Amino acid sequence: QVQLVESGGGLVQPGGSLRLSCAASGSFFSINTMGWYRQAPGKLRELVATITRSGSTNYADSVKGRFTISRDNAKNTQYLEMNSLKPEDTAVYYCNAVVVVAGPMYDYWGQGTQVTVSS
């Protein structure tokens, strides 16, 4: 099995910054696309950002220019640097990874980490 563990969430004031990390562990050959999704109370889960193994990125319009996604392939870890945080960024943030195990690809999710932006 593959495990994804998020860390770095917490409480921050508007305009502040947080850095989320997600480390993958277990038995797998490689990780293809990784990304972050978030879900606020009463809303559907939405894409925040994705990054391919080669480093190509995609961002939701609501976070473009404020958030930066990156990854360290050697450590099987991805990061989300969040700057200029707004109250509407408050949500549970989930790590996602498409993993190659033995030919087939599987979609894995972390347990989520709470990010709260409030004064």
Side-chain angles (χ1 to χ4, degrees):
Q1 295 292 325
V2 178
Q3 294 80 230
L4 302 177
V5 180
E6 302 101 333
S7 62
L11 175 65
V12 64
Q13 294 183 344
S17 300
L18 283 175
R19 184 176 187 247
L20 305 183
S21 299
C22 173
S25 62
S27 298
F28 53 86
F29 293 152
S30 64
I31 302 175
N32 291 104
T33 301
M34 303 186 77
W36 293 92
Y37 294 72
R38 68 186 182 186
Q39 187 167 24
K43 295 186 177 181
L44 299 175
R45 186 173 299 187
E46 64 177 355
L47 182 147
V48 176
T50 61
I51 183 168
T52 68
R53 186 172 180 83
S54 62
S56 297
T57 59
N58 180 53
Y59 296 92
D61 289 338
S62 60
V63 307
K64 189 172 296 184
R66 300 188 298 119
F67 291 10
T68 301
I69 188 171
S70 61
R71 64 188 288 174
D72 186 333
N73 291 334
K75 296 182 178 180
N76 294 319
T77 301
Q78 69 164 327
Y79 309 91
L80 185 67
E81 182 71 34
M82 304 184 293
N83 300 312
S84 301
L85 283 163
K86 306 174 181 179
E88 50 262 45
D89 294 318
T90 296
V92 177
Y93 284 70
Y94 295 92
C95 175
N96 172 258
V98 179
V99 180
V100 179
V101 179
M105 292 184 288
Y106 297 93
D107 202 19
Y108 286 90
W109 293 89
Q111 294 297 308
T113 184
Q114 177 70 48
V115 173
T116 302
V117 185
S118 177
S119 60

